[in-house]
Amino acid sequence: MAYNPRMSILPSQHQQSRLGGNGGPNNPNHNRAMTQKKQEEEAAYANMRLPDREIVGCINELGIPFTVSDLQKPNPIQVQQIFEWFGEILMNKTRQTVDPAMRAAMEDVVGQQYGDGLMPADARSLMGFFVSLRTLMVHCGVKDFSFADLYRPTHDRLVKIFSYIINFVRFRESQTGIIDEHCNRAEATKQRIEFLFGENQNMESQLDEMRANRRQMEQLVTEKTRRNEELKKRLLDLRRAQEKVAQRLEDAKIKKGELANELEEKTALKLAMKQDCAKLRPYVLQSATALQNSLTELSNTLNGDKGHIDSLDRRARALQTSTDSFAVVATDVASCIKLLEEIAVELAKEEEENIKNAKQRDALTERGASVREVERTELMLQRQLAKWAERTETLRSQSEEKAARAKERMEELRAVHKKLTEERGEKGKDIERRRVRIEQTEKKMLDLKENIENEIHAAYDEYLKLESHVKLYITEMEQAI
């Protein structure tokens, strides 16, 4: 269907007659009810209708210049201004307040490029204001308010509408205290809810921060545990290597002792042979040939002894090389001891090893001068071991202090987390209780408002009945006169 920009937004008479003809069923009871309802509305309007001068006076009190002739021959622009004034007083809404929302709706429907051409700003704001104004009219009692009342107002319609609005304003002014009291209570309740909601948000943010800190601490603890496990494995490997090196050192020391004993035996044998040679020398001098043979034998024996001594020297040098390698191994052992610093459980075993080393050192001290070099080297190693043990003890005490501080911090965090959890639970319960109280209060307010409205309507009905009786009595008195 093509869009016609000149099409009127008001329903035609044919449409109105068709809607009126098909509006309800052809039922006598229904028609009777509609007739009765119409009569009641007419009676209520007769009671609510105000004189023209009173209506004009009330409008002039609002600061709008208005006369009886203006009411009898209404001008649409002036009537729209008066309705806008009532809307601003009762609903705090005007054309300017509804224009942004109508503009956004227009841009969503037809786009920003063609919006102003298809829907002018005045018509757009007037339509938006008409929707709010129709809601106000329904509350005032004018249920048949239409756009024609703004576009083509008539005297009878304006008198009816202004009468209902003025009566509504008067009723509202009479109930200002109750309305302000309920509004203040609702505002206080809203502020309290917002305050509690903000406090709840703050508590939740603090709880999230504590959870994040807890996750970080758990990650650090996990990392420390993993590192301790790796250090334990490394320590076990180093201890096995240390035991192997210690076993090799013991074997080398035993072999060195055996070689030293063999050297002493060879030396004693050489001295004995020299003594024998000295004893046999007078006999050898008797014959040159025998002497030459004896000399040759002694030379051979001497060369064999020299070769044996050279082999012993080579063995001594090899033993010295082994001793140097043992010093390097001792340096590695010192680095291993540095890794042992963080493991408190292994300290007792290390002390036992130190005691064993001290015993071995005492045993080696009692040996001869041939092993003094080894003893000095071992003394140096022992001093280094004492230094490393001291450093180990210092680092162990530091690590224990750090662990104790971390444990205390963890306990404090746990206590704070527990306290915050309890406070959050209490706050949640308090909020729930207050929410229930607020709901109960709102329900009581609604019930109280409904009861007040019912009482007001009942009083108003009684007033209408009394007024109708008084009018009837006055009519009868006039007829009697």
Side-chain angles (χ1 to χ4, degrees), residues 219-363:
Q219 291 177 359
L220 292 175
V221 171
T222 305
E223 184 66 21
K224 290 290 185 181
T225 306
R226 184 182 61 78
R227 187 178 177 187
N228 288 334
E229 293 295 332
E230 293 178 356
L231 291 175
K232 285 181 181 179
K233 293 180 181 179
R234 178 67 177 168
L235 177 62
L236 293 175
D237 296 337
L238 292 174
R239 281 191 61 79
R240 295 191 187 99
Q242 183 184 5
E243 290 176 356
K244 291 180 181 179
V245 171
Q247 185 66 32
R248 288 178 60 188
L249 181 62
E250 290 295 330
D251 296 339
K253 288 180 180 179
I254 293 171
K255 189 174 182 180
K256 184 177 180 181
E258 292 177 354
L259 292 175
N261 293 328
E262 186 177 358
L263 180 62
E264 290 177 358
E265 290 177 358
K266 293 293 184 179
T267 304
L269 182 60
K270 182 179 179 181
L271 293 175
M273 290 178 67
K274 284 182 179 181
Q275 291 178 1
D276 292 337
C277 288
K279 290 179 181 180
L280 294 175
R281 185 174 295 174
Y283 299 101
V284 174
L285 294 176
Q286 293 177 3
S287 175
T289 303
L291 184 59
Q292 186 66 33
N293 293 331
S294 178
L295 182 61
T296 302
E297 292 177 357
L298 289 174
S299 298
N300 293 331
T301 303
L302 182 61
N303 290 329
D305 292 337
K306 285 181 178 181
H308 185 65
I309 290 169
D310 291 335
S311 64
L312 291 177
D313 290 336
R314 285 194 297 273
R315 288 183 181 181
R317 286 194 297 272
L319 186 61
Q320 184 65 32
T321 303
S322 300
T323 304
D324 295 336
S325 64
F326 292 155
V328 175
V329 170
T331 305
D332 294 335
V333 171
S335 63
C336 295
I337 293 171
K338 185 178 180 179
L339 294 175
L340 291 173
E341 296 171 357
E342 299 178 358
I343 311 302
V345 180
E346 299 293 331
L347 291 176
K349 295 181 180 180
E350 185 64 28
E351 291 176 359
E352 293 177 1
E353 292 295 333
N354 292 333
I355 293 172
K356 290 181 180 179
N357 291 331
K359 290 180 179 179
Q360 292 175 0
R361 187 178 65 253
D362 295 336

Side-chain angles (χ1 to χ4, degrees), residues 210 217 404-420:
M210 293 191 67
M217 293 298 294
R405 288 196 298 269
K407 187 175 180 181
E408 292 177 357
R409 180 61 178 169
M410 183 61 71
E411 292 295 332
E412 292 177 357
L413 290 174
R414 287 178 180 173
V416 173
H417 180 265
K418 184 177 180 181
K419 183 178 180 181
L420 289 176

Side-chain angles (χ1 to χ4, degrees), residues 26 30 53-54 112 140 166 173 175 192 201 210 224 231 283 286 306 315 332 342 349 355 401 436 440 464:
N26 296 323
H30 179 72
R53 292 186 178 277
E54 187 175 356
Q112 187 176 4
C140 291
I166 292 171
E173 290 178 354
Q175 302 294 327
R192 182 60 177 170
Q201 292 292 330
M210 293 191 67
K224 290 290 185 181
L231 291 175
Y283 299 101
Q286 293 177 3
K306 285 181 178 181
R315 288 183 181 181
D332 294 335
E342 299 178 358
K349 295 181 180 180
I355 293 172
E401 291 177 357
V436 172
Q440 293 176 356
L464 293 177

